[in-house]
Amino acid sequence: MGSLFQLLGLCFWVYFISYSSITVVSQNVGGSEKVKTVFIDGKAPIGKTDDDFVCATLDWWPPEKCDYGTCSWDHASLLNLDLKNTILSKAIKAFSPLKLRLGGTLQDIVIYEQKGLQQPCISFRKNSSEIFGYNQGCLPMSRWDELNNFFKKTGAVVVFGLNALNGRVIKSDGSAVGPWSSTNAESLIRYTVNKGYTIHGWELGNELSGSGIGARVTADQYASDVISLQNIVQDIYRGFPVKPLVIAPAGGFDAKWYKELIEKTPKSLDVVTHHIYNLGPGVDSHLIEKILDPSYLNGVTRTFSGLQNLLKTTGTSSTAWVGEAGGAYNSGRNLVTNTFVFSFWYLDQLGMSSAYDTKTYCRQSLIGGNYGLLNTTTFMPNPDYYSALLWHRLMGRKVLSTTFSGTKKIRAYAHCAKQSKGITLLLINLDGKTTIQVQVTTEPVALNGILALQNKQKSTRTRFTRIPQESTSGGITREEYHLTAKDGNLQSQTMLLNGNILTVNSSGDIPPLEPINVHPSEPINVAPYSIVFTRIPSIDAPACR
């Protein structure tokens, strides 16, 4: 035992000299609260996101779009959304910037108004005999002008999804045969450039990969079409210092299909997008159970790791995005995917995907359906809007390896802090009964091993974290943002931040998201069914310098 304490003392001395810090020892508290440790390896990042990692979608669905007897889209379409709504504008501006992906199922039957085009420019009409259940719709250039003026005013970063079925013949088995006809898309791109509109990326098609949704295109043909789109972009944007990204295929991840596409477009495909609807249909009555089940949440790691490995092994320079993610398909589920409980799924997705080097994550949707960040009729922010905004403001680009020990009910993710010193830690408590006290450590594995051995011989838990000396005098504090549901109701559409209701004021202003300040030696208290962001400036991780 004596030698153990001598070795422990030596480690403390080396650690003190190396980091010029004070090691703080805390004791476990009784009752239902449990003290756990989160280990953050700050030596090097395990992934790196875009600055505008948080993205949201705008879709084409008309008011007639109904699922399971509920029509949840109202006037949230790109063709009829009220662009003069104050809350909508301020909600986008709050991100400064917010990346918007324009697209969805109906994008592959949208034509773009152009001179000489014989077809009338009309909106979508329901027709059960047609693919996707609608007749072809049209984007008037007057509406495209309105949209781009709105995007410029709000500072949005825009990705536009192009019609990839144009010119193809769709057989009875759903296979789409023939090359993509790019004429209409090229007309839209030229119009956009001539008007001086800025587009961050042009994405080809929606959910036509693998077995497809409604229709499918072979990977070989899709690769040829992506190359055609890249050639068009290079031609039209010749002389531009920065050209838009070429993005595809915006579908469910099919490893074999994706591998062929990536291998055949090594210099043409800038971004590989895939969609996440891992919770199943919106009608599923077990959605909440799935959201609160750590094992179920972990299931999607196969998709993230599969795509990451493909990008590493194929030698491509392409990066990975989640191009659309609503969790539950067919418009989500009212009072589930638009309530507090969905932030458990959503923030876990943001944390998990970024750990697998995903650069951008686009939430379906900004507005529309039952999974909008904003309420479809009132435009008021749903809980996930505030979760997204906090992530955007607090979580920096560099992702840190994070390990939580003790319970599977805590999900932990850490990044270098955004535009400030230190790190930001996200903790999600899926346990509805237990408050978890969390202590952060960045100590070497060897020291942790010694502590683990010591703990076996002691009845109390001991945790260690390094705190710079100036913090002990009150010079540095830790910022905490505790998110809970109003009245403890997981299906509430009202979120509390540090006990205060989050809502816009009479002018439509997004509320300030103010933290509470805590001494860094105190453990982080994560209440049952709650979410905590904490910015810790006292942790000087080498990865963040």
Side-chain angles (χ1 to χ4, degrees):
M1 180 65 71
S3 60
L4 174 62
F5 283 114
Q6 288 176 354
L7 180 57
L8 184 59
L10 175 62
C11 288
F12 272 114
W13 182 81
V14 171
Y15 199 62
F16 180 88
I17 296 299
S18 299
Y19 291 97
S20 298
S21 62
I22 295 175
T23 302
V24 178
V25 182
S26 302
Q27 300 298 322
N28 187 18
V29 295
S32 62
E33 297 181 343
K34 299 179 180 180
V35 181
K36 305 294 181 183
T37 301
V38 60
F39 173 72
I40 299 172
D41 185 345
K43 292 190 296 294
I46 59 171
K48 196 172 183 180
T49 69
D50 289 339
D51 276 328
D52 47 7
F53 172 73
V54 173
C55 165
T57 68
L58 288 173
D59 214 310
W60 294 97
W61 291 118
E64 294 78 20
K65 161 68 171 171
C66 304
D67 300 281
Y68 320 118
T70 301
C71 305
S72 58
W73 285 87
D74 198 28
H75 286 68
S77 166
L78 285 161
L79 295 175
N80 57 32
L81 181 63
D82 179 9
L83 302 179
K84 296 180 181 179
N85 185 278
T86 300
I87 299 176
L88 176 66
S89 295
K90 291 185 176 182
I92 295 174
K93 287 179 179 179
F95 281 82
S96 219
L98 177 62
K99 187 179 287 176
L100 291 176
R101 181 253 185 178
L102 318 183
T105 300
L106 297 187
Q107 80 178 55
D108 287 316
I109 56 170
V110 176
I111 58 171
Y112 320 116
E113 184 183 31
Q114 66 181 87
K115 292 180 180 180
L117 193 66
Q118 299 301 313
Q119 297 164 281
C121 195
I122 58 176
S123 297
F124 296 103
R125 291 175 299 176
K126 286 186 72 71
N127 186 339
S128 58
S129 64
E130 294 289 335
I131 186 173
F132 309 128
Y134 291 86
N135 282 330
Q136 189 176 63
C138 177
L139 172 62
M141 288 302 96
S142 59
R143 180 61 176 179
W144 185 230
D145 293 338
E146 291 173 355
L147 285 165
N148 278 280
N149 290 332
F150 174 76
F151 299 144
K152 183 178 180 180
K153 182 180 72 173
T154 57
V157 175
V158 178
V159 171
F160 187 87
L162 296 165
N163 178 347
L165 288 181
N166 205 13
R168 306 188 203 270
V169 175
I170 302 175
K171 294 187 174 181
S172 58
D173 64 355
S175 58
V177 181
W180 171 54
S181 175
S182 61
T183 304
N184 191 222
E186 185 173 351
S187 171
L188 175 68
I189 296 173
R190 288 191 183 279
Y191 179 90
T192 301
V193 171
N194 289 337
K195 296 287 280 190
Y197 302 146
T198 300
I199 301 296
H200 183 65
W202 296 100
E203 184 175 38
L204 184 61
N206 182 85
E207 298 179 350
L208 303 175
S209 58
S211 57
I213 303 295
R216 65 182 185 276
V217 178
T218 65
D220 179 67
Q221 181 60 61
Y222 219 104
S224 176
D225 301 330
V226 166
I227 293 170
S228 296
L229 175 58
Q230 182 65 261
N231 290 337
I232 290 169
V233 168
Q234 291 300 318
D235 178 45
I236 296 177
Y237 288 88
R238 184 179 290 113
F240 282 62
V242 178
K243 297 177 176 62
L245 300 170
V246 170
I247 305 170
F253 180 67
D254 179 305
K256 183 179 179 181
W257 193 99
Y258 268 64
K259 183 174 186 292
E260 184 176 356
L261 174 70
I262 293 168
E263 287 180 338
K264 292 182 176 180
T265 55
K267 297 181 180 179
S268 298
L269 185 57
D270 299 311
V271 176
V272 179
T273 47
H274 66 104
H275 293 180
I276 299 287
Y277 288 93
N278 62 316
L279 297 175
V283 73
D284 188 345
S285 60
H286 299 287
L287 289 180
I288 293 179
E289 295 170 35
K290 292 179 178 179
I291 292 167
L292 298 176
D293 182 351
S295 297
Y296 194 91
L297 294 177
N298 287 338
V300 76
T301 58
R302 293 188 295 270
T303 295
F304 294 127
S305 63
L307 180 53
Q308 183 184 43
N309 290 335
L310 269 184
L311 295 177
K312 285 181 177 179
T313 58
T314 53
T316 181
S317 59
S318 301
T319 58
W321 288 14
V322 173
E324 182 184 310
Y329 59 82
N330 288 343
S331 303
R333 184 182 182 87
N334 189 34
L335 297 182
V336 176
T337 55
N338 52 11
T339 66
F340 177 83
V341 73
F342 209 52
S343 277
F344 292 134
W345 175 85
Y346 180 40
L347 288 173
D348 189 64
Q349 280 280 302
L350 296 183
M352 188 186 302
S353 62
S354 61
Y356 285 94
D357 210 29
T358 300
K359 304 302 183 185
T360 288
Y361 190 106
C362 299
R363 167 62 180 263
Q364 174 80 343
S365 60
L366 174 63
I367 187 167
N370 289 314
Y371 37 36
L373 297 180
L374 306 178
N375 182 283
T376 306
T377 54
T378 67
F379 292 79
M380 295 288 285
N382 284 322
D384 280 1
Y385 173 84
Y386 297 111
S387 295
L389 188 55
L390 277 170
W391 176 288
H392 178 75
R393 291 180 177 178
L394 297 173
M395 304 292 269
R397 295 185 64 188
K398 294 179 181 179
V399 188
L400 305 177
S401 176
T402 308
T403 305
F404 188 83
S405 61
T407 173
K408 295 180 180 179
K409 290 287 188 176
I410 287 283
R411 316 284 285 184
Y413 301 99
H415 287 220
C416 296
K418 194 165 191 176
Q419 298 179 342
S420 64
K421 294 181 180 179
I423 65 144
T424 301
L425 173 65
L426 168 64
L427 297 166
I428 303 169
N429 190 357
L430 303 176
D431 191 324
K433 298 181 180 179
T434 307
T435 294
I436 307 294
Q437 287 198 329
V438 177
Q439 193 75 41
V440 181
T441 180
T442 55
E443 293 178 351
V445 174
L447 181 56
N448 286 341
I450 294 170
L451 294 177
L453 178 62
Q454 182 192 31
N455 284 339
K456 290 181 180 179
Q457 303 177 46
K458 296 178 68 177
S459 59
T460 59
R461 286 184 186 269
T462 306
R463 293 96 50 231
F464 298 86
T465 184
R466 59 185 183 85
I467 311 292
Q469 290 179 339
E470 63 265 28
S471 68
T472 61
S473 63
I476 293 180
T477 59
R478 182 178 74 224
E479 294 178 354
E480 291 184 1
Y481 303 77
H482 294 255
L483 302 177
T484 53
K486 184 182 179 183
D487 300 324
N489 177 13
L490 289 181
Q491 292 178 263
S492 173
Q493 292 180 297
T494 300
M495 176 180 272
L496 307 183
L497 172 59
N498 297 325
N500 300 311
I501 290 176
L502 290 173
T503 187
V504 302
N505 62 20
S506 58
S507 299
D509 297 317
I510 301 301
L513 304 179
E514 301 290 348
I516 56 173
N517 294 305
V518 180
H519 192 276
S521 65
E522 294 297 318
I524 304 164
N525 290 303
V526 190
Y529 286 152
S530 75
I531 297 162
V532 180
F533 285 92
T534 179
R535 190 178 71 85
I536 312 174
S538 58
I539 294 183
D540 180 22
C544 303
R545 294 171 189 165

